[in-house]
Amino acid sequence: MKSTAQPPVLFLLTARLLTARLLSARLLTVMVITVLSSLLFATSTMAANSKSSDKSTLSYAPSESPLQDVIDAQEKAKNNDTLLLVVLGAKWCHDSTGLASHFESEALQPILEKYYTTLLVDVGLLEDRRNITRRFDYPIYYATPTVMIVEPNTGTLLNRASMARWAHADSIPLIDYVEYFTAHGELSEQEIAVLQSYTPTPEEMSYNAQYAARLQAAYKALSPLLKDDINGDLEGDTADNFYAMWREVRQFRATLQKELMERTQAQLDKGDVSLETKKATLTEHGPFSWQ
């Protein structure tokens, strides 16, 4: 036979009190976990935003005074005892954005932080930036991106003989970035002195300025069409004409830069007997097909 006796009232009250305390403890634990999770999320978000802010210089942001930005960066490089690294590029340019992405890689960031003060300059829709390039004795930007490694105290452009390679920056392997920027960051005083000895002839300087002006005029003609192309407003014959003009200008600027690099290397290697008879190439180029 089963007992029909009821549990004492005191026992029931004690059991209910313990149950309430357990529920309160569990509720308190859940609340603490929730608060901690919220704090961790907020901290992570703030850190991510801070990290993004730290990288804000590695973007092609429009500026009202790009030349002054370069001047300020050069002064900062002097104070930091680093080289100055100036990149002229644009957000619409695949190779420019590819280079910026490589710059933010874990493999390259420590190298840039150690050796360089870095500034990315927006060229907009092929705007004139000759006041920047000529500051370092370079005629114009022949490509986007244009990568300039500068000794800040003298303004010597240290990589003028190899700048054309960065026109295809997005397709260059990351290891090549690491090797290139490490090698230039570790140039000896003697190697820098050799690069400082570069002095184009008056004839070449006049030639460079003449064709830089022609190239900038071509950029000006392309600029409104480039804007329409970016906005998807080109079609039919207008689009075909733009692409034909773009290819023609691309060939022109690539040829100018290639010959400039050859002249530079020949001048820097003038002590090599095998190069003594090599003459500077000052090719005369005719007008564009649309002129």
Side-chain angles (χ1 to χ4, degrees), residues 21 31 56 58 69 76 80 126 139 144 169 178 200 210 220 222 238 247 275-276:
R21 287 179 177 176
M31 291 175 64
S56 61
L58 292 184
D69 294 341
K76 183 178 179 181
N80 293 345
L126 301 176
T144 52
V178 171
Q210 173 190 349
K220 186 176 181 180
L222 286 171
T238 304
R247 288 191 296 269
L275 293 173
E276 284 183 354

Short mmCIF file of all heavy atoms in Angstrom, two decimals, residues 21 31 56 58 69 76 80 126 139 144 169 178 200 210 220 222 238 247 275-276:
data_model
loop_
_atom_site.label_atom_id
_atom_site.label_comp_id
_atom_site.label_asym_id
_atom_site.label_seq_id
_atom_site.Cartn_x
_atom_site.Cartn_y
_atom_site.Cartn_z
N ARG A 21 16.30 30.57 -5.81
CA ARG A 21 17.69 31.03 -5.78
C ARG A 21 18.48 30.50 -6.97
O ARG A 21 19.30 31.20 -7.57
CB ARG A 21 18.35 30.60 -4.47
CG ARG A 21 17.86 31.39 -3.26
CD ARG A 21 18.53 30.92 -2.00
NE ARG A 21 18.11 31.73 -0.86
CZ ARG A 21 18.49 31.49 0.39
NH1 ARG A 21 19.29 30.46 0.66
NH2 ARG A 21 18.08 32.27 1.36
N MET A 31 22.77 37.05 -17.64
CA MET A 31 22.91 38.50 -17.79
C MET A 31 24.37 38.91 -17.88
O MET A 31 24.74 39.75 -18.70
CB MET A 31 22.24 39.21 -16.61
CG MET A 31 20.72 39.10 -16.60
SD MET A 31 19.98 39.82 -15.12
CE MET A 31 20.43 41.53 -15.33
N SER A 56 43.87 54.64 -43.37
CA SER A 56 43.20 55.62 -44.21
C SER A 56 44.16 56.29 -45.19
O SER A 56 43.75 56.76 -46.23
CB SER A 56 42.52 56.68 -43.34
OG SER A 56 43.47 57.37 -42.55
N LEU A 58 46.33 54.80 -46.86
CA LEU A 58 46.54 53.90 -47.98
C LEU A 58 45.29 53.83 -48.85
O LEU A 58 44.77 52.76 -49.14
CB LEU A 58 46.93 52.50 -47.46
CG LEU A 58 48.29 52.43 -46.78
CD1 LEU A 58 48.62 50.99 -46.40
CD2 LEU A 58 49.39 52.99 -47.66
N ASP A 69 50.33 67.86 -49.54
CA ASP A 69 50.35 66.55 -48.88
C ASP A 69 51.71 65.88 -49.06
O ASP A 69 52.25 65.27 -48.13
CB ASP A 69 49.26 65.65 -49.44
CG ASP A 69 47.86 66.15 -49.13
OD1 ASP A 69 47.72 66.97 -48.20
OD2 ASP A 69 46.91 65.74 -49.83
N LYS A 76 57.88 64.71 -42.99
CA LYS A 76 57.68 63.64 -42.01
C LYS A 76 58.71 62.54 -42.21
O LYS A 76 59.24 61.99 -41.23
CB LYS A 76 56.25 63.07 -42.15
CG LYS A 76 55.92 62.00 -41.13
CD LYS A 76 54.49 61.53 -41.30
CE LYS A 76 54.15 60.44 -40.29
NZ LYS A 76 52.75 59.96 -40.46
N ASN A 80 61.34 61.16 -39.50
CA ASN A 80 61.29 59.75 -39.13
C ASN A 80 62.52 58.96 -39.59
O ASN A 80 62.65 57.77 -39.28
CB ASN A 80 60.05 59.08 -39.73
CG ASN A 80 58.77 59.60 -39.11
OD1 ASN A 80 58.79 60.23 -38.06
ND2 ASN A 80 57.64 59.34 -39.76
N LEU A 126 42.61 61.57 -64.40
CA LEU A 126 43.83 61.92 -65.14
C LEU A 126 44.18 63.40 -64.99
O LEU A 126 44.58 64.06 -65.95
CB LEU A 126 43.67 61.54 -66.62
CG LEU A 126 43.40 60.06 -66.90
CD1 LEU A 126 43.16 59.85 -68.39
CD2 LEU A 126 44.54 59.19 -66.42
N PRO A 139 59.23 63.78 -65.26
CA PRO A 139 58.39 64.63 -66.11
C PRO A 139 56.90 64.60 -65.80
O PRO A 139 56.24 65.65 -65.77
CB PRO A 139 58.67 64.11 -67.52
CG PRO A 139 59.99 63.40 -67.42
CD PRO A 139 60.03 62.82 -66.05
N THR A 144 49.21 54.63 -64.10
CA THR A 144 48.64 54.51 -62.77
C THR A 144 48.66 53.03 -62.41
O THR A 144 48.14 52.21 -63.16
CB THR A 144 47.18 55.03 -62.74
OG1 THR A 144 46.41 54.40 -63.78
CG2 THR A 144 47.15 56.53 -62.90
N ALA A 169 50.84 46.56 -61.55
CA ALA A 169 51.04 46.24 -60.14
C ALA A 169 50.17 45.08 -59.64
O ALA A 169 50.62 44.29 -58.81
CB ALA A 169 50.77 47.47 -59.28
N VAL A 178 57.83 42.40 -51.81
CA VAL A 178 58.68 42.30 -50.61
C VAL A 178 60.14 42.53 -50.97
O VAL A 178 60.85 43.30 -50.32
CB VAL A 178 58.49 40.93 -49.93
CG1 VAL A 178 59.52 40.73 -48.82
CG2 VAL A 178 57.07 40.81 -49.37
N PRO A 200 70.17 64.48 -66.39
CA PRO A 200 69.85 64.48 -67.82
C PRO A 200 70.44 65.71 -68.51
O PRO A 200 70.63 66.75 -67.88
CB PRO A 200 68.32 64.50 -67.85
CG PRO A 200 67.94 65.13 -66.55
CD PRO A 200 68.98 64.70 -65.56
N GLN A 210 58.55 68.61 -73.16
CA GLN A 210 57.70 68.74 -74.35
C GLN A 210 56.69 67.61 -74.45
O GLN A 210 55.49 67.84 -74.66
CB GLN A 210 58.58 68.77 -75.61
CG GLN A 210 57.80 68.74 -76.91
CD GLN A 210 58.69 68.52 -78.12
OE1 GLN A 210 59.93 68.59 -78.03
NE2 GLN A 210 58.07 68.25 -79.26
N LYS A 220 43.81 65.18 -70.73
CA LYS A 220 42.70 66.13 -70.64
C LYS A 220 41.59 65.77 -71.63
O LYS A 220 40.40 65.89 -71.32
CB LYS A 220 43.20 67.55 -70.90
CG LYS A 220 42.15 68.63 -70.69
CD LYS A 220 42.74 70.02 -70.86
CE LYS A 220 41.69 71.10 -70.62
NZ LYS A 220 42.26 72.47 -70.78
N LEU A 222 40.97 62.74 -72.71
CA LEU A 222 40.38 61.48 -72.28
C LEU A 222 39.51 61.63 -71.04
O LEU A 222 38.58 60.83 -70.82
CB LEU A 222 41.49 60.46 -71.97
CG LEU A 222 42.23 59.84 -73.15
CD1 LEU A 222 43.42 59.03 -72.67
CD2 LEU A 222 41.28 58.95 -73.96
N THR A 238 30.75 56.32 -79.67
CA THR A 238 31.45 57.11 -78.65
C THR A 238 32.34 56.20 -77.81
O THR A 238 33.49 56.54 -77.50
CB THR A 238 30.46 57.85 -77.74
OG1 THR A 238 29.61 58.67 -78.54
CG2 THR A 238 31.20 58.71 -76.74
N ARG A 247 43.80 53.27 -76.07
CA ARG A 247 44.88 52.37 -76.50
C ARG A 247 46.04 53.17 -77.12
O ARG A 247 47.22 52.86 -76.89
CB ARG A 247 44.34 51.34 -77.50
CG ARG A 247 43.45 50.28 -76.87
CD ARG A 247 43.17 49.14 -77.83
NE ARG A 247 42.41 49.59 -78.99
CZ ARG A 247 41.07 49.58 -79.05
NH1 ARG A 247 40.37 49.17 -78.00
NH2 ARG A 247 40.44 49.97 -80.14
N LEU A 275 78.73 50.35 -72.60
CA LEU A 275 77.62 51.27 -72.79
C LEU A 275 78.07 52.65 -73.22
O LEU A 275 77.27 53.56 -73.39
CB LEU A 275 76.81 51.38 -71.48
CG LEU A 275 76.07 50.11 -71.05
CD1 LEU A 275 75.46 50.31 -69.68
CD2 LEU A 275 75.01 49.72 -72.05
N GLU A 276 79.37 52.83 -73.40
CA GLU A 276 79.89 54.16 -73.69
C GLU A 276 79.37 54.71 -75.01
O GLU A 276 79.21 55.91 -75.17
CB GLU A 276 81.42 54.13 -73.71
CG GLU A 276 82.03 54.07 -72.31
CD GLU A 276 83.55 54.12 -72.34
OE1 GLU A 276 84.09 54.09 -73.46
OE2 GLU A 276 84.16 54.16 -71.28
#
